[in-house]
């Protein structure tokens, strides 16, 4: 890596308050009732962090947030973890109910639930905990939150957008630095390590992925960086991101080591045009699938339709992949505050791939990119 540039931006955003978390919990309970559910059950993971600010380890000991319209929020926790739970930013907005080792945690949770209720439960809840609850309350029914309330976290407020913009800015700064490093003669894993180091240098607390797909490896959209030595003449797909201030970044750019040939430049220009078409389709009221259709049509019309093998985009927030999804069949309308990727690609097996990706947020009259590095084909050494 070259130099030690200063991190983009100055200062940290104001922390979320107990009032912020209380409002989220009320919204979740109200949304559940509107969806015909008797409540929401939230295990450790991103939903719990978003709702309470509490990030416990995911273990065999039951931790469960119970949200029901008309009832105060209750967090069931192991007694030995109760002091940490009480320190969470959202703790003043809920009641803690602890249980001790040797006692039945599912009985503690069951007393909070309607014995014949239907509940949304966070997707990453452990099977042993779900089975434990249903064993104590055999008349209850459960549905995954992404099925029951897919848009719960989808529309971001101003404070969340600030964090997403800062994460995008840090990812952009990472790309501006990585394009300066040598590529030829180095392994994909070397460049991936550079990417991870730069993301952390620019303020990321967590690096989720650093895809470096050189030459034929670029035709695999989720290629794990390996020991292949990057050569002059390679197209190289770079896709990287993680969390900064608790919110995600995710951007892709495709670079070329030395001068590209005519087809490589043609395919890159095509993907760039498709990415622009997808971005231009973003505005309130448009169906998610129409963003996919706009980008896909450009590639299909050029004869590469069967080489665009994934959806055009995914939502982003406290995780780097979440609803909404820009995919055929998703008729949900875009709403100001939604944030998602626009990332068409073309993949030619055995030869090379190209992907260009920005995070985009829906505004009152269109869309705004949260990634702003050049989408032209960048030549690296």
């Amino acid at each position: 890596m070259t130099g030690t540039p200063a991190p983009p931006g100055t200062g940290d955003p104001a922390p979320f308050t107990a009032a912020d978390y209380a409002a989220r919990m009320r919204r979740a309970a109200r949304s559940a009732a509107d969806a015909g559910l008797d409540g929401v059950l939230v295990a450790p993971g991103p939903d719990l962090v978003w709702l309470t600010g509490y990030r416990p380890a995911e273990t065999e000991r039951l931790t469960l947030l119970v949200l029901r319209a008309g009832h105060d929020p209750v967090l069931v926790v192991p007694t030995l973890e109760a002091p940490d739970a009480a320190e969470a930013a959202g703790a003043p907005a809920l009641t803690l109910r602890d249980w001790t080792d040797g006692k039945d945690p599912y009985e503690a949770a069951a007393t909070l639930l309607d014995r014949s209720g239907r509940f949304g439960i966070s997707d990453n809840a452990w099977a042993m905990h779900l089975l434990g609850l249903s064993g104590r309350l055999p008349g209850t029914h459960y549905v995954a939150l992404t099925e029951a309330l897919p848009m719960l976290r989808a529309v971001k407020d101003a404070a969340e957008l600030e964090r997403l913009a800062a994460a995008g800015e840090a990812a952009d700064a990472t790309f501006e630095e990585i394009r300066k490093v040598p590529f030829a003669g180095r392994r994909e894993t070397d460049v991936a390590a550079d990417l991870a180091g730069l993301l952390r240098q620019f303020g990321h607390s967590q690096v989720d992925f650093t895809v470096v797909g050189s030459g034929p490896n670029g035709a695999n959209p989720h290629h794990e960086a390996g020991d292949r030595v990057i050569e002059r003449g390679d197209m190289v797909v770079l896709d990287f991101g993680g969390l900064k201030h608790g919110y995600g970044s995710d951007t892709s750019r495709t670079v070329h080591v030395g001068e590209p040939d005519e087809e490589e430049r043609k395919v890159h220009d095509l993907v760039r045009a498709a990415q622009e078409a997808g971005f231009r389709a973003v505005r309130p009221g448009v169906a998610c699938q129409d963003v996919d259709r706009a980008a896909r049509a450009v590639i299909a019309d050029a004869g590469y339709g069967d080489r665009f093998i994934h959806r055009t985009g995914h939502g982003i927030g406290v995780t780097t992949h979440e609803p909404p999804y820009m995919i055929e069949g998703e008729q949900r309308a875009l709403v100001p505050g939604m944030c998602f990727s626009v990332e068409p690609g073309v993949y030619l097996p055995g030869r090379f791939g190209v992907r260009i990706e920005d995070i985009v947020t829906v505004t009152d009259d269109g869309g705004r990119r949260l990634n702003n590095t050049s989408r032209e084909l960048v030549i690296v050494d």
Side-chain angles (χ1 to χ4, degrees):
M1 292 187 296
T2 61
T4 54
T10 56
D12 293 336
F16 294 120
T17 67
D20 294 324
Y21 291 115
R24 291 176 183 178
M25 287 188 278
R26 285 194 301 271
R27 183 180 3 144
R30 186 169 58 248
S31 297
D34 291 343
L37 299 174
D38 293 288
V40 173
L41 310 179
V42 185
D47 291 317
L48 188 64
V49 173
W50 185 76
L51 287 162
T52 68
Y54 182 42
R55 191 188 297 271
E58 300 181 34
T59 73
E60 75 283 357
R61 289 187 172 98
L62 179 72
T63 295
L64 194 71
L65 175 66
V66 179
L67 301 177
R68 300 179 66 191
H71 297 74
D72 291 337
V74 178
L75 182 64
V76 178
V77 294
T79 299
L80 77 168
E81 296 175 6
D84 290 334
E87 293 297 316
L94 51 79
T95 298
L96 293 180
R97 176 175 293 188
D98 65 312
W99 60 274
T100 58
D101 283 352
K103 302 293 185 181
D104 187 342
Y106 306 111
E107 287 293 345
T111 60
L112 301 170
L113 307 181
D114 184 332
R115 303 189 70 84
S116 60
R118 183 171 179 266
F119 299 94
I121 188 164
S122 48
D123 294 19
N124 57 327
W126 283 21
M128 66 177 288
H129 296 318
L130 178 56
L131 293 171
L133 281 173
S134 61
R136 298 303 180 279
L137 298 171
T140 52
H141 298 274
Y142 304 90
V143 60
L145 273 187
T146 53
E147 178 183 341
L149 300 176
M151 294 296 106
L152 182 61
R153 304 194 322 249
V155 178
K156 275 62 178 180
D157 62 23
E160 292 181 290
L161 290 173
E162 177 187 4
R163 287 162 169 79
L164 283 161
E169 186 180 4
D172 282 358
T174 294
F175 178 70
E176 294 297 352
E177 290 303 309
I178 202 68
R179 61 186 290 183
K180 301 174 186 176
V181 309
F183 278 69
R186 302 176 71 214
R187 294 173 302 173
E188 292 173 341
T189 50
D190 296 329
V191 178
D194 286 349
L195 284 169
L198 286 164
L199 284 169
R200 293 192 182 280
Q201 179 179 314
F202 291 126
H204 279 61
S205 60
Q206 177 176 313
V207 176
D208 287 344
F209 47 88
T210 51
V211 172
V212 180
S214 64
N217 289 340
N220 175 359
H222 282 174
H223 170 69
E224 292 280 347
D227 289 333
R228 183 182 186 275
V229 175
I230 302 169
E231 302 174 355
R232 293 196 66 80
D234 279 348
M235 194 81 91
V236 185
V237 178
L238 305 173
D239 183 352
F240 49 94
L243 299 182
K244 178 175 181 176
H245 304 316
Y247 281 75
S249 69
D250 186 1
T251 189
S252 300
R253 293 292 185 265
T254 302
V255 302
H256 197 276
V257 186
E259 287 299 319
D261 64 30
E262 183 177 347
E263 184 178 20
E264 288 170 329
R265 191 173 290 280
K266 171 187 172 184
V267 172
H268 191 279
D269 287 347
L270 174 63
V271 174
R272 181 164 56 88
Q275 208 270 348
E276 180 69 16
F279 169 68
R280 294 295 176 190
V282 174
R283 61 183 182 278
V286 166
C288 292
Q289 67 179 5
D290 289 338
V291 178
D292 181 84
R293 288 175 175 178
R296 197 169 299 276
V298 174
I299 292 173
D301 289 349
Y304 290 88
D306 62 340
R307 304 273 42 103
F308 180 9
I309 57 177
H310 55 72
R311 65 196 175 201
T312 292
H314 58 82
I316 191 168
V318 294
T319 57
T320 47
H321 281 212
E322 62 185 46
Y325 299 104
M326 306 302 112
I327 189 170
E328 182 66 31
E330 177 52 84
Q331 299 181 33
R332 195 176 310 276
L334 300 182
V335 175
M338 283 182 174
C339 291
F340 48 85
S341 65
V342 177
E343 50 175 308
V346 168
Y347 308 94
L348 304 180
R351 301 177 63 198
F352 65 90
V354 176
R355 182 165 63 258
I356 301 173
E357 173 185 15
D358 294 327
I359 299 303
V360 173
T361 183
V362 185
T363 65
D364 289 338
D365 57 1
R368 175 168 67 95
R369 299 182 193 268
L370 300 187
N371 296 108
N372 293 289
T373 55
S374 174
R375 283 166 286 279
E376 302 286 340
L377 181 57
V378 170
I379 308 301
V380 296
D381 294 328

